[in-house]
Coordinates of all heavy atoms in Angstrom, one line a residue:
S1 N 0.9 -1.2 0.0 CA 0.0 0.0 0.0 C 0.9 1.2 0.0 O 2.0 1.2 0.4 CB -0.9 0.0 1.2 OG -0.2 0.3 2.4
S2 N 0.3 2.3 -0.5 CA 1.1 3.6 -0.5 C 1.4 4.1 0.9 O 2.5 4.6 1.1 CB 0.4 4.6 -1.3 OG -0.9 4.9 -0.8
S3 N 0.5 3.9 1.8 CA 0.8 4.4 3.2 C 1.9 3.6 3.8 O 2.8 4.1 4.5 CB -0.4 4.4 4.0 OG -0.9 3.1 4.2
A4 N 1.9 2.3 3.6 CA 3.0 1.4 4.1 C 4.3 1.8 3.5 O 5.3 1.8 4.2 CB 2.7 -0.1 3.8
A5 N 4.3 2.1 2.2 CA 5.6 2.5 1.6 C 6.1 3.8 2.1 O 7.3 3.9 2.4 CB 5.4 2.6 0.0
L6 N 5.2 4.7 2.3 CA 5.7 6.0 2.9 C 6.2 5.8 4.3 O 7.2 6.4 4.7 CB 4.5 7.0 2.9 CG 4.8 8.4 3.5 CD1 5.9 9.1 2.8 CD2 3.5 9.2 3.4
E7 N 5.4 5.1 5.1 CA 5.8 4.8 6.5 C 7.2 4.1 6.6 O 8.1 4.5 7.4 CB 4.8 4.0 7.2 CG 3.5 4.7 7.5 CD 2.4 3.7 7.9 OE1 2.5 2.5 7.7 OE2 1.4 4.2 8.3
M8 N 7.4 3.1 5.8 CA 8.6 2.4 5.8 C 9.8 3.2 5.3 O 10.9 3.1 5.8 CB 8.5 1.1 5.0 CG 7.5 0.1 5.6 SD 7.6 -0.2 7.4 CE 9.2 -0.8 7.5
A9 N 9.6 4.1 4.3 CA 10.7 4.9 3.8 C 11.1 5.9 4.9 O 12.3 6.1 5.2 CB 10.2 5.7 2.6
L10 N 10.1 6.4 5.7 CA 10.4 7.3 6.7 C 11.1 6.6 7.9 O 12.2 7.1 8.4 CB 9.2 8.0 7.3 CG 9.3 8.9 8.5 CD1 10.2 10.0 8.2 CD2 8.0 9.4 9.0
L11 N 10.7 5.4 8.3 CA 11.3 4.7 9.4 C 12.7 4.2 9.0 O 13.6 4.2 9.8 CB 10.4 3.5 9.8 CG 9.1 3.8 10.5 CD1 8.2 2.6 10.6 CD2 9.4 4.4 11.8
K12 N 12.9 3.8 7.8 CA 14.2 3.4 7.4 C 15.2 4.5 7.4 O 16.4 4.4 7.7 CB 14.2 2.7 6.0 CG 13.6 1.3 6.0 CD 13.4 0.7 4.6 CE 14.7 0.2 4.1 NZ 14.5 -0.6 2.9
A13 N 14.7 5.8 6.9 CA 15.6 6.9 7.0 C 15.9 7.3 8.4 O 17.1 7.7 8.7 CB 14.9 8.1 6.3
L14 N 14.9 7.2 9.3 CA 15.2 7.5 10.7 C 16.2 6.5 11.3 O 17.1 6.8 12.1 CB 13.9 7.5 11.5 CG 13.0 8.7 11.2 CD1 11.6 8.5 11.9 CD2 13.6 10.0 11.7
R15 N 16.0 5.2 10.9 CA 16.9 4.2 11.4 C 18.3 4.5 11.0 O 19.3 4.4 11.8 CB 16.5 2.8 10.9 CG 17.4 1.7 11.3 CD 16.9 0.3 10.9 NE 16.9 0.2 9.4 CZ 16.4 -0.9 8.8 NH1 15.9 -1.9 9.5 NH2 16.3 -0.9 7.5
E16 N 18.5 4.9 9.8 CA 19.9 5.2 9.3 C 20.4 6.5 9.9 O 21.6 6.5 10.4 CB 19.8 5.3 7.8 CG 21.2 5.5 7.2 CD 21.2 5.5 5.7 OE1 20.4 4.7 5.1 OE2 22.0 6.2 5.1
A17 N 19.6 7.5 10.0 CA 20.1 8.8 10.5 C 20.5 8.8 12.0 O 21.4 9.4 12.4 CB 19.0 9.9 10.3
F18 N 19.7 7.9 12.7 CA 20.0 7.9 14.2 C 20.7 6.6 14.6 O 20.8 6.3 15.8 CB 18.7 8.1 15.0 CG 18.1 9.5 14.8 CD1 17.1 9.7 14.0 CD2 18.7 10.5 15.5 CE1 16.6 11.0 13.8 CE2 18.2 11.8 15.3 CZ 17.1 12.0 14.5
Q19 N 21.1 5.8 13.6 CA 21.8 4.5 13.8 C 21.0 3.7 14.8 O 21.6 3.2 15.8 CB 23.2 4.8 14.2 CG 24.0 5.5 13.2 CD 25.4 5.8 13.6 OE1 25.8 5.7 14.7 NE2 26.3 6.2 12.7
L20 N 19.7 3.5 14.6 CA 18.9 2.7 15.5 C 19.1 1.2 15.2 O 19.4 0.8 14.1 CB 17.4 3.0 15.3 CG 17.1 4.5 15.5 CD1 15.6 4.8 15.1 CD2 17.4 4.9 16.9
G21 N 19.0 0.4 16.2 CA 19.2 -1.0 16.0 C 18.0 -1.8 15.6 O 18.0 -3.0 15.7
A22 N 16.9 -1.2 15.2 CA 15.7 -1.9 14.8 C 15.9 -2.6 13.5 O 16.4 -2.1 12.6 CB 14.5 -0.9 14.8
D23 N 15.5 -3.9 13.5 CA 15.5 -4.6 12.2 C 14.2 -4.4 11.4 O 13.3 -3.6 11.8 CB 15.7 -6.2 12.5 CG 14.5 -6.8 13.2 OD1 13.5 -6.1 13.4 OD2 14.7 -8.0 13.6
D24 N 14.2 -4.9 10.2 CA 13.1 -4.7 9.3 C 11.7 -5.1 9.9 O 10.7 -4.4 9.8 CB 13.3 -5.4 8.0 CG 14.5 -4.8 7.2 OD1 14.8 -3.6 7.4 OD2 15.0 -5.5 6.4
M25 N 11.7 -6.2 10.6 CA 10.4 -6.7 11.2 C 10.0 -5.7 12.3 O 8.8 -5.4 12.4 CB 10.5 -8.1 11.8 CG 9.3 -8.6 12.4 SD 7.8 -8.6 11.3 CE 8.2 -10.1 10.4
A26 N 10.9 -5.2 13.1 CA 10.5 -4.2 14.1 C 10.0 -2.9 13.5 O 9.0 -2.4 14.0 CB 11.8 -3.8 15.0
L27 N 10.6 -2.5 12.4 CA 10.0 -1.3 11.7 C 8.6 -1.5 11.1 O 7.7 -0.7 11.2 CB 10.9 -0.9 10.5 CG 12.4 -0.4 10.9 CD1 13.1 0.0 9.7 CD2 12.3 0.7 11.9
A28 N 8.4 -2.8 10.6 CA 7.1 -3.1 10.1 C 6.1 -3.1 11.2 O 4.9 -2.6 11.0 CB 7.1 -4.5 9.4
K29 N 6.4 -3.6 12.4 CA 5.5 -3.6 13.5 C 5.2 -2.2 14.0 O 4.1 -1.9 14.4 CB 6.1 -4.4 14.7 CG 6.0 -5.9 14.4 CD 6.7 -6.7 15.5 CE 6.6 -8.2 15.1 NZ 7.2 -9.0 16.2
I30 N 6.2 -1.3 14.0 CA 6.0 0.1 14.3 C 5.0 0.8 13.4 O 4.1 1.5 13.8 CB 7.3 0.9 14.4 CG1 8.2 0.4 15.5 CG2 7.1 2.4 14.4 CD1 9.7 0.9 15.5
A31 N 5.2 0.5 12.1 CA 4.3 1.1 11.1 C 2.9 0.6 11.2 O 1.9 1.3 11.2 CB 4.8 0.8 9.6
N32 N 2.8 -0.7 11.5 CA 1.5 -1.4 11.7 C 0.8 -0.8 13.0 O -0.4 -0.5 12.9 CB 1.7 -2.9 11.9 CG 0.4 -3.6 12.2 OD1 0.1 -3.9 13.3 ND2 -0.4 -3.8 11.1
K33 N 1.5 -0.5 14.0 CA 1.0 0.0 15.2 C 0.5 1.5 15.0 O -0.5 1.9 15.5 CB 2.0 0.0 16.4 CG 1.4 0.4 17.7 CD 2.4 0.1 18.8 CE 1.8 0.5 20.1 NZ 2.5 0.1 21.3
A34 N 1.3 2.2 14.2 CA 0.9 3.6 13.9 C -0.4 3.6 13.1 O -1.3 4.4 13.4 CB 2.0 4.3 13.1
E35 N -0.5 2.7 12.1 CA -1.8 2.7 11.3 C -2.9 2.3 12.2 O -4.0 2.8 12.0 CB -1.6 1.7 10.1 CG -0.6 2.2 9.1 CD -1.2 2.2 7.7 OE1 -2.4 1.9 7.5 OE2 -0.4 2.5 6.8
G36 N -2.7 1.3 13.1 CA -3.8 0.9 13.9 C -4.3 1.8 15.0 O -5.4 2.0 15.2
E37 N -3.3 2.3 15.7 CA -3.6 3.2 16.9 C -3.8 4.6 16.5 O -4.6 5.3 17.1 CB -2.5 3.0 17.9 CG -2.5 1.6 18.6 CD -1.5 1.4 19.6 OE1 -0.9 2.4 20.1 OE2 -1.3 0.3 20.0
F38 N -3.0 5.2 15.6 CA -3.1 6.6 15.3 C -4.1 6.9 14.2 O -5.0 7.7 14.4 CB -1.7 7.1 14.9 CG -1.7 8.6 14.6 CD1 -1.8 9.5 15.7 CD2 -1.6 9.1 13.3 CE1 -1.8 10.9 15.4 CE2 -1.6 10.5 13.1 CZ -1.7 11.4 14.2
V39 N -4.0 6.1 13.1 CA -5.0 6.3 12.0 C -6.3 5.6 12.2 O -7.3 6.1 11.7 CB -4.3 5.8 10.7 CG1 -5.2 6.0 9.5 CG2 -3.0 6.7 10.5
G40 N -6.2 4.5 12.9 CA -7.5 3.7 13.1 C -7.7 2.7 12.1 O -8.8 2.1 12.0
A41 N -6.7 2.4 11.2 CA -6.8 1.4 10.2 C -6.2 0.1 10.7 O -5.0 0.0 10.9 CB -6.2 1.8 8.9
R42 N -7.0 -0.9 10.9 CA -6.5 -2.2 11.4 C -6.0 -3.0 10.3 O -6.8 -3.7 9.6 CB -7.6 -2.9 12.2 CG -8.1 -2.2 13.4 CD -7.2 -2.3 14.5 NE -7.6 -1.6 15.7 CZ -6.9 -1.0 16.6 NH1 -5.6 -1.1 16.5 NH2 -7.4 -0.3 17.6
L43 N -4.7 -2.9 10.0 CA -4.1 -3.7 8.9 C -3.1 -4.7 9.4 O -2.7 -4.6 10.5 CB -3.5 -2.7 7.9 CG -4.4 -1.6 7.4 CD1 -3.6 -0.6 6.6 CD2 -5.5 -2.2 6.5
G44 N -2.7 -5.5 8.5 CA -1.7 -6.5 8.9 C -0.3 -6.0 8.7 O 0.0 -4.9 8.3
L45 N 0.7 -7.0 8.9 CA 2.1 -6.6 8.8 C 2.6 -6.8 7.4 O 3.8 -6.4 7.0 CB 2.9 -7.5 9.7 CG 2.9 -7.2 11.2 CD1 3.7 -8.3 12.0 CD2 3.5 -5.8 11.4
L46 N 1.9 -7.5 6.5 CA 2.4 -7.8 5.2 C 2.8 -6.6 4.4 O 3.9 -6.6 3.8 CB 1.4 -8.7 4.5 CG 1.9 -9.4 3.2 CD1 3.2 -10.2 3.5 CD2 0.9 -10.3 2.6
A47 N 1.9 -5.6 4.3 CA 2.2 -4.5 3.4 C 3.5 -3.7 3.9 O 4.3 -3.4 3.1 CB 1.0 -3.6 3.3
P48 N 3.6 -3.4 5.2 CA 4.8 -2.7 5.6 C 6.0 -3.5 5.5 O 7.1 -3.0 5.1 CB 4.5 -2.3 7.1 CG 3.3 -2.9 7.5 CD 2.6 -3.4 6.3
L49 N 5.9 -4.8 5.8 CA 7.1 -5.7 5.7 C 7.5 -5.8 4.2 O 8.7 -5.6 3.9 CB 6.8 -7.1 6.2 CG 8.0 -8.1 6.2 CD1 9.1 -7.6 7.0 CD2 7.5 -9.4 6.7
A50 N 6.6 -6.0 3.3 CA 6.9 -6.0 1.9 C 7.5 -4.7 1.4 O 8.5 -4.7 0.7 CB 5.7 -6.3 1.0
A51 N 7.0 -3.6 1.8 CA 7.5 -2.3 1.4 C 8.9 -2.1 2.0 O 9.7 -1.4 1.4 CB 6.6 -1.2 2.0
C52 N 9.3 -2.7 3.1 CA 10.6 -2.6 3.7 C 11.6 -3.5 3.1 O 12.8 -3.1 2.9 CB 10.5 -2.9 5.2 SG 12.0 -2.5 6.1
V53 N 11.3 -4.7 2.8 CA 12.4 -5.7 2.4 C 12.4 -6.1 1.0 O 13.4 -6.6 0.5 CB 12.2 -7.0 3.3 CG1 12.3 -6.7 4.7 CG2 11.0 -7.7 3.0
L54 N 11.4 -5.8 0.2 CA 11.4 -6.3 -1.2 C 12.0 -5.3 -2.2 O 11.9 -4.1 -2.0 CB 10.0 -6.6 -1.7 CG 9.3 -7.8 -1.0 CD1 7.9 -8.0 -1.6 CD2 10.1 -9.0 -1.2
D55 N 12.7 -5.9 -3.2 CA 13.2 -5.1 -4.3 C 12.3 -5.5 -5.5 O 11.6 -6.5 -5.5 CB 14.6 -5.5 -4.6 CG 15.6 -4.9 -3.5 OD1 15.3 -3.8 -3.0 OD2 16.6 -5.6 -3.2
E56 N 12.5 -4.8 -6.6 CA 11.8 -5.1 -7.8 C 12.1 -6.6 -8.2 O 13.2 -7.0 -8.0 CB 12.2 -4.2 -8.9 CG 11.4 -4.3 -10.2 CD 11.9 -3.3 -11.3 OE1 12.8 -2.6 -11.1 OE2 11.2 -3.3 -12.3
N57 N 11.2 -7.3 -8.7 CA 11.3 -8.7 -9.1 C 11.5 -9.7 -7.9 O 12.1 -10.7 -8.1 CB 12.4 -8.9 -10.2 CG 12.1 -8.1 -11.4 OD1 10.9 -8.1 -11.9 ND2 13.1 -7.6 -12.0
D58 N 11.1 -9.3 -6.7 CA 11.2 -10.1 -5.6 C 9.8 -10.6 -5.2 O 8.8 -9.9 -5.4 CB 11.8 -9.4 -4.3 CG 13.3 -9.4 -4.4 OD1 13.9 -10.0 -5.3 OD2 13.9 -8.7 -3.5
A59 N 9.8 -11.8 -4.6 CA 8.5 -12.3 -3.9 C 8.8 -12.5 -2.5 O 10.0 -12.7 -2.1 CB 8.1 -13.6 -4.6
L60 N 7.8 -12.4 -1.6 CA 8.0 -12.5 -0.2 C 7.3 -13.8 0.3 O 6.1 -14.0 0.1 CB 7.4 -11.3 0.5 CG 7.6 -11.2 2.0 CD1 9.0 -11.1 2.4 CD2 6.8 -10.0 2.6
L61 N 8.1 -14.7 0.9 CA 7.5 -15.9 1.5 C 7.5 -15.6 3.0 O 8.5 -15.3 3.7 CB 8.4 -17.1 1.2 CG 8.6 -17.5 -0.2 CD1 9.6 -18.6 -0.3 CD2 7.2 -17.8 -0.9
V62 N 6.3 -15.7 3.6 CA 6.1 -15.4 5.0 C 5.5 -16.5 5.7 O 4.5 -17.1 5.3 CB 5.2 -14.1 5.2 CG1 5.0 -13.8 6.7 CG2 5.8 -12.9 4.5
D63 N 6.0 -16.9 6.9 CA 5.4 -17.9 7.8 C 4.7 -17.1 8.8 O 5.3 -16.5 9.7 CB 6.5 -18.8 8.4 CG 5.9 -19.8 9.4 OD1 4.7 -19.7 9.8 OD2 6.7 -20.8 9.7
S64 N 3.3 -17.1 8.7 CA 2.6 -16.2 9.6 C 2.5 -16.7 11.0 O 2.1 -16.0 11.9 CB 1.2 -16.0 9.0 OG 0.5 -17.3 8.9
S65 N 2.9 -18.0 11.3 CA 2.9 -18.4 12.7 C 4.1 -17.9 13.4 O 4.1 -17.7 14.6 CB 2.9 -20.0 12.7 OG 4.1 -20.5 12.1
S66 N 5.3 -17.7 12.7 CA 6.5 -17.2 13.4 C 6.9 -15.9 12.9 O 7.8 -15.3 13.5 CB 7.6 -18.3 13.2 OG 8.0 -18.3 11.8
W67 N 6.3 -15.4 11.9 CA 6.7 -14.2 11.1 C 8.1 -14.2 10.6 O 8.7 -13.1 10.4 CB 6.4 -12.9 12.0 CG 4.9 -12.7 12.0 CD1 4.1 -12.9 13.0 CD2 4.1 -12.2 10.9 NE1 2.7 -12.6 12.6 CE2 2.8 -12.2 11.3 CE3 4.4 -11.8 9.6 CZ2 1.7 -11.8 10.5 CZ3 3.4 -11.4 8.8 CH2 2.1 -11.4 9.2
S68 N 8.6 -15.4 10.4 CA 9.9 -15.4 9.7 C 9.6 -15.2 8.2 O 8.5 -15.5 7.7 CB 10.6 -16.8 9.9 OG 9.8 -17.9 9.4
Y69 N 10.5 -14.7 7.5 CA 10.2 -14.4 6.1 C 11.5 -14.6 5.2 O 12.6 -14.6 5.7 CB 9.7 -13.0 5.9 CG 10.7 -11.9 6.3 CD1 11.6 -11.4 5.4 CD2 10.8 -11.5 7.6 CE1 12.5 -10.4 5.8 CE2 11.7 -10.5 8.0 CZ 12.6 -10.0 7.0 OH 13.5 -9.0 7.4
E70 N 11.3 -14.7 3.9 CA 12.4 -14.9 3.0 C 12.0 -14.1 1.7 O 10.9 -14.3 1.2 CB 12.6 -16.4 2.7 CG 13.7 -16.7 1.7 CD 13.8 -18.2 1.4 OE1 13.1 -19.0 2.0 OE2 14.6 -18.5 0.6
C71 N 13.0 -13.4 1.2 CA 12.8 -12.7 -0.1 C 13.4 -13.7 -1.1 O 14.5 -14.1 -1.0 CB 13.6 -11.4 -0.1 SG 13.0 -10.2 1.2
V72 N 12.6 -13.9 -2.2 CA 13.0 -14.8 -3.3 C 13.0 -14.0 -4.6 O 12.0 -13.3 -4.9 CB 12.0 -15.9 -3.4 CG1 12.4 -16.9 -4.5 CG2 11.9 -16.7 -2.0
S73 N 14.1 -14.0 -5.3 CA 14.1 -13.3 -6.6 C 13.4 -14.1 -7.6 O 13.4 -15.3 -7.7 CB 15.6 -13.2 -7.1 OG 16.3 -12.3 -6.3
V74 N 12.6 -13.4 -8.4 CA 11.8 -13.9 -9.4 C 12.4 -13.4 -10.8 O 12.5 -12.2 -10.9 CB 10.3 -13.5 -9.3 CG1 9.5 -14.0 -10.5 CG2 9.7 -13.9 -8.0
P75 N 12.8 -14.4 -11.6 CA 13.4 -13.9 -12.9 C 12.5 -13.0 -13.6 O 11.3 -13.2 -13.7 CB 13.6 -15.2 -13.6 CG 13.7 -16.3 -12.6 CD 12.7 -15.8 -11.5
P76 N 13.0 -12.0 -14.3 CA 12.1 -11.0 -15.1 C 11.3 -11.7 -16.1 O 10.2 -11.2 -16.5 CB 13.1 -10.1 -15.7 CG 14.4 -10.2 -14.9 CD 14.4 -11.6 -14.4
A77 N 11.7 -12.9 -16.7 CA 11.0 -13.5 -17.7 C 9.8 -14.2 -17.1 O 8.8 -14.6 -17.9 CB 11.8 -14.5 -18.4
V78 N 9.6 -14.4 -15.8 CA 8.5 -15.1 -15.2 C 7.4 -14.1 -14.9 O 7.6 -13.0 -14.4 CB 8.9 -15.7 -13.9 CG1 7.7 -16.3 -13.2 CG2 10.0 -16.8 -14.1
A79 N 6.2 -14.4 -15.3 CA 5.0 -13.6 -15.1 C 4.1 -14.3 -14.0 O 3.9 -15.5 -14.1 CB 4.2 -13.4 -16.3
L80 N 3.8 -13.5 -13.0 CA 2.9 -14.0 -11.9 C 1.6 -13.3 -11.9 O 1.6 -12.1 -12.1 CB 3.6 -13.9 -10.6 CG 4.9 -14.6 -10.4 CD1 5.5 -14.2 -9.0 CD2 4.7 -16.1 -10.4
V81 N 0.6 -14.1 -11.7 CA -0.8 -13.5 -11.5 C -1.2 -14.0 -10.1 O -1.3 -15.2 -9.9 CB -1.8 -13.9 -12.5 CG1 -3.1 -13.4 -12.2 CG2 -1.3 -13.4 -13.9
V82 N -1.5 -13.1 -9.2 CA -1.9 -13.5 -7.8 C -3.4 -13.0 -7.7 O -3.7 -11.9 -8.0 CB -1.1 -12.8 -6.7 CG1 -1.6 -13.2 -5.4 CG2 0.4 -13.2 -7.0
V83 N -4.2 -14.0 -7.3 CA -5.6 -13.7 -7.1 C -6.0 -13.7 -5.6 O -5.6 -14.6 -4.9 CB -6.5 -14.6 -7.9 CG1 -8.0 -14.3 -7.7 CG2 -6.1 -14.6 -9.4

């Protein structure tokens, strides 16, 4: 989502500027909490996590029971349709 992308860009910039020790999952949880508590939008962690860790042509594999994740490169020649 566009709000997740904006939040993650800001949080990553703050992490770098202030040399914070927060990992990508911690930033995603902060963004999720801000959306839920401040904005009132009860959303999940997937959008902020994806906005934080994925590059172009990547797919995100997430284990929702442990919130472990893996970024997987998808060759440019591969076309995916997700429904």
Side-chain angles (χ1 to χ4, degrees):
S1 74
S2 58
S3 61
L6 178 61
E7 290 164 350
M8 295 314 298
L10 176 62
L11 288 170
K12 287 174 81 170
L14 290 171
R15 176 176 63 184
E16 186 175 326
F18 294 103
Q19 299 177 347
L20 302 174
D23 64 9
D24 292 334
M25 182 57 78
L27 295 183
K29 288 179 179 179
I30 291 168
N32 179 259
K33 188 170 183 171
E35 291 231 7
E37 292 183 11
F38 183 73
V39 177
R42 300 280 179 212
L43 304 173
L45 286 174
L46 191 55
L49 183 61
C52 187
V53 301
L54 291 181
D55 290 322
E56 186 177 4
N57 296 323
D58 280 353
L60 184 62
L61 300 175
V62 179
D63 179 344
S64 61
S65 64
S66 66
W67 285 105
S68 62
Y69 63 90
E70 179 182 356
C71 299
V72 179
S73 289
V74 177
V78 174
L80 298 174
V81 177
V82 179
V83 179

